[in-house]
Amino acid sequence: MECPHLGSSVCIAPDSAKFPQGSPSSWCCSVCRSNKSPWVCLTCSSVHCGRYVNGHAKKHYEDAQIPMTNHKKTEKQEKVQHTVCMDCSSYSTYCYRCDDFVVNDTKLGLVQKVREHLQNLENSAFTSDRHRKRKLLENSSMNSKLLKVNGSTTALCATGLRNLGNTCFMNAILQSLSNIQQFCCYFKELPAVELRNGKTAGRRTYHTRSQGDNNVSLVEEFRKTLCALWQGSQTAFSPESLFYVVWKIMPNFRGYQQQDAHEFMRYLLDHLHLELQGGFNGVSRSVILQENSSLTASSKCCINGASTVVTAIFGGILQNEVNCLICGTESRKFDPFLDLSLDIPSQFRNKRTKNQENGPMCTLRDCLRSFTDLEELDETELYMCHKCKKKQKSTKKFWIQKLPKVLCLHLKRFHWTAYLRNKVDTYVEFPLRGLDMKCYLLEPENSGPESCLYDLAAVVVHHGSGVGSGHYTAYAAHEGRWFHFNDSTVTLTDEETVVKAKAYILFYVERQAKSGSDKL
């Protein structure tokens, strides 16, 4: 949005003496000393943590407004407002008075000058930090994977994703998909496609909706993003080129407002599937898929045409049975799916924490059972019976006819009421290993003992109270270790922390080898 307060709030010049030492993305809050989500005030250059940490940046703004409530304001108090701040990781600008992200600049271009100065500080700090890490690695054992940086454990091999302005929903999904090895490796092995030449080649730093260039490829930018992760060459990668393509082909995600991570995941997978079907640059991606023997199972699922890696990995098939309660006529229909959306049963919706003793614990099995149990359709969903030739009361039941290689389970935490969309904050217990899906299959006797077992690969978590607000992070397993992905910050974590998370999306991978793990 166009902010009218920049002239009175942006008062600092890009002078390194006024900023803390080190890289801006790791600056510490001047109140709580947290280095997570640092924001710098563009009035006084003080650094505070964001609202999803301890909220000291917002408190700094609110404290500065207290003198403004007096009738006798000095001229200086009227001009200086401390309302505008900049994210030290994504360099996006936010105005607390407008309560929105800012896209314009001052007449002298001070916002852009500060942004460029922070980028230079970050690049300088990154270069020196990379040399320092390289020396430490040379002196340490080759098995050493971790390094203590600023008192916290940081994974050297892991790369974060910069927040480009409320893009945590995208970052959480990208980090989760990057840890689905079979899916990720397929894209990383695709040949590069050069889309632009000459002056238009290279990095796009800032984009607007009015920019042209229809020659964009979601597959190509997705491939580049996956290749940038887990290389260990940088602490954070900025996915602005991918985000630009998302804006071009997915209008629903234009702008900088918070979006639903599950909705984005579905749009992303659908568009990747469509582009892979059509091929690019004269080479059909479906042909490449056929050449990959690990993905050419005879039972692969096709959605909207030919099979691609999307449907080969995430594609399953549901059988939908509807029975007329008047004449007993049974109707069966097979529906392909990329994920299953599960309701949290109503009897568990008041249980918010794992340790709360208010009734039984809700488990993932409860949600799956609710999804597959026989259900009588209400008056608004009467079934058109072809034998009775009119709408009749009926029952419905889902069976899983084919399980996917990667089972994506979406817990429906957001529900519409009369006026707003509420969040179901119930804790749902889920297994890290041995999720047994055999009892939900249409023909379980045709499945092997190991083919129905799944192990957790990634979890997307929504923090906050509403779909249009809050913050998304992800947990994912990589080479036997669990990591927590919070935009540009990646930290090593443990299984005990993962199982306590209030999951929004769960990614389970089909078990390939036998294990003695317990079943769900």
Side-chain angles (χ1 to χ4, degrees):
M1 60 152 289
E2 298 280 338
C3 174
H5 310 115
L6 295 183
S8 59
S9 295
V10 183
C11 306
I12 60 173
D15 182 1
S16 59
K18 293 185 178 181
F19 295 110
Q21 297 295 319
S23 63
S25 61
S26 62
W27 284 346
C28 295
C29 172
S30 59
V31 178
C32 65
R33 307 308 299 167
S34 171
N35 63 354
K36 295 181 179 179
S37 185
W39 290 75
V40 59
C41 175
L42 297 189
T43 300
C44 63
S45 73
S46 60
V47 178
H48 297 89
C49 59
R51 65 179 67 193
Y52 301 119
V53 184
N54 292 314
H56 288 126
K58 185 177 181 181
K59 190 174 187 305
H60 172 71
Y61 155 71
E62 293 171 344
D63 291 344
Q65 307 314 302
I66 295 176
M68 302 287 289
T69 60
N70 299 328
H71 293 291
K72 296 181 180 181
K73 304 175 192 173
T74 66
E75 183 179 352
K76 186 176 181 179
Q77 286 175 331
E78 288 184 5
K79 291 183 178 179
V80 182
Q81 299 177 11
H82 301 264
T83 61
V84 181
C85 58
M86 182 176 290
D87 188 334
C88 298
S89 296
S90 66
Y91 313 118
S92 54
T93 310
Y94 193 87
C95 176
Y96 281 109
R97 287 190 67 184
C98 298
D99 196 23
D100 204 348
F101 285 91
V102 177
V103 297
N104 57 318
D105 204 339
T106 64
K107 293 181 179 180
L108 298 177
L110 290 179
V111 173
Q112 181 61 19
K113 289 179 180 178
V114 173
R115 180 181 289 121
E116 291 174 353
H117 183 66
L118 293 186
Q119 286 177 321
N120 290 334
L121 290 177
E122 184 74 27
N123 291 336
S124 299
F126 169 70
T127 301
S128 60
D129 188 53
R130 182 170 57 181
H131 290 312
R132 181 174 60 86
K133 287 181 179 179
R134 185 177 299 166
K135 288 184 178 180
L136 287 170
L137 284 174
E138 290 173 355
N139 296 329
S140 62
S141 66
M142 294 303 294
N143 294 328
S144 177
K145 299 275 184 154
L146 304 173
L147 183 69
K148 285 280 187 177
V149 179
N150 295 329
S152 61
T153 303
T154 303
L156 293 180
C157 58
T159 300
L161 287 169
R162 297 194 187 282
N163 193 312
L164 307 178
N166 273 334
T167 57
C168 56
F169 68 93
M170 178 178 75
N171 292 346
I173 294 299
L174 293 177
Q175 293 286 13
S176 298
L177 294 178
S178 76
N179 286 283
I180 308 295
Q181 293 304 313
Q182 199 173 16
F183 184 71
C184 178
C185 289
Y186 170 84
F187 285 94
K188 289 165 69 174
E189 292 171 1
L190 287 177
V193 178
E194 292 299 328
L195 298 179
R196 293 180 285 274
N197 296 309
K199 294 182 180 179
T200 58
R203 251 179 108 196
R204 292 179 178 271
T205 305
Y206 298 100
H207 305 288
T208 63
R209 299 187 192 184
S210 60
Q211 283 179 312
D213 190 1
N214 292 320
N215 192 23
V216 295
S217 168
L218 179 64
V219 170
E220 174 67 2
E221 296 305 332
F222 185 67
R223 182 194 69 82
K224 290 178 181 178
T225 301
L226 294 181
C227 288
L229 301 176
W230 295 107
Q231 290 184 344
S233 59
Q234 53 187 334
T235 56
F237 174 75
S238 186
E240 67 256 4
S241 296
L242 175 61
F243 194 43
Y244 167 69
V245 176
V246 169
W247 277 28
K248 290 288 294 183
I249 66 177
M250 305 181 200
N252 289 357
F253 297 96
R254 290 177 181 171
Y256 294 101
Q257 66 271 23
Q258 183 64 280
Q259 302 281 359
D260 184 0
H262 174 251
E263 184 179 358
F264 171 75
M265 182 196 73
R266 286 307 312 267
Y267 269 88
L268 177 66
L269 293 179
D270 287 345
H271 281 81
L272 286 172
H273 173 65
L274 290 174
E275 188 174 318
L276 288 168
Q277 279 183 316
F280 198 85
N281 208 26
V283 180
S284 173
R285 304 297 196 188
S286 296
V287 172
I288 300 175
L289 174 65
Q290 297 299 328
E291 294 174 354
N292 191 332
S293 60
S294 64
L295 299 178
T296 55
S298 59
S299 59
K300 66 191 174 205
C301 171
C302 297
I303 300 175
N304 297 327
S307 176
T308 67
V309 67
V310 176
T311 54
I313 297 292
F314 292 95
I317 300 175
L318 281 176
Q319 177 177 291
N320 183 359
E321 288 183 1
V322 179
N323 286 275
C324 176
L325 291 177
I326 304 302
C327 67
T329 299
E330 182 181 272
S331 173
R332 295 180 181 179
K333 187 173 78 168
F334 292 95
D335 297 314
F337 68 88
L338 295 179
D339 70 308
L340 298 178
S341 292
L342 311 178
D343 278 306
I344 297 175
S346 56
Q347 65 266 31
F348 299 109
R349 293 192 181 177
N350 292 326
K351 189 172 180 58
R352 295 176 174 266
T353 64
K354 182 175 182 179
N355 298 323
Q356 187 175 332
E357 297 180 359
N358 182 19
M361 174 77 68
C362 181
T363 66
L364 189 58
R365 177 182 284 276
D366 293 318
C367 299
L368 285 166
R369 186 184 298 115
S370 176
F371 179 78
T372 56
D373 275 353
L374 188 69
E375 172 190 6
E376 184 172 340
L377 301 178
D378 57 31
E379 295 292 335
T380 62
E381 300 178 292
L382 293 178
Y383 164 66
M384 183 63 190
C385 179
H386 296 289
K387 186 174 182 179
C388 298
K389 295 184 179 181
K390 64 178 180 178
K391 291 185 176 182
Q392 301 282 26
K393 287 186 175 182
S394 60
T395 60
K396 179 179 72 173
K397 179 174 176 60
F398 284 119
W399 294 95
I400 298 178
Q401 196 267 341
K402 172 190 172 293
L403 283 166
K405 293 182 181 295
V406 174
L407 179 64
C408 180
L409 301 177
H410 161 235
L411 299 180
K412 296 164 72 172
R413 292 196 175 274
F414 300 107
H415 291 268
W416 287 103
T417 61
Y419 301 101
L420 69 154
R421 201 177 184 186
N422 288 331
K423 181 181 178 182
V424 179
D425 205 30
T426 302
Y427 171 78
V428 177
E429 188 177 44
F430 54 90
L432 290 178
R433 302 174 188 86
L435 172 62
D436 192 352
M437 295 295 294
K438 192 168 187 176
C439 59
Y440 309 109
L441 281 176
L442 179 64
E443 298 175 343
E445 64 277 2
N446 295 332
S447 302
E450 293 288 328
S451 62
C452 300
L453 293 180
Y454 287 80
D455 298 322
L456 189 65
V459 186
V460 174
V461 181
H462 177 269
H463 311 267
S465 58
V467 67
S469 60
H471 183 60
Y472 286 99
T473 65
Y475 293 95
H478 185 82
E479 296 181 352
R481 291 183 172 91
W482 280 94
F483 295 87
H484 183 218
F485 298 91
N486 184 4
D487 288 335
S488 57
T489 303
V490 183
T491 54
L492 190 69
T493 187
D494 52 36
E495 294 183 352
E496 289 74 16
T497 301
V498 176
V499 296
K500 292 178 182 177
K502 293 181 181 179
Y504 181 47
I505 306 173
L506 296 154
F507 295 89
Y508 280 94
V509 177
E510 182 183 39
R511 183 179 293 179
Q512 299 297 327
K514 288 187 177 183
S515 172
S517 303
D518 295 333
K519 299 179 182 180
L520 173 65

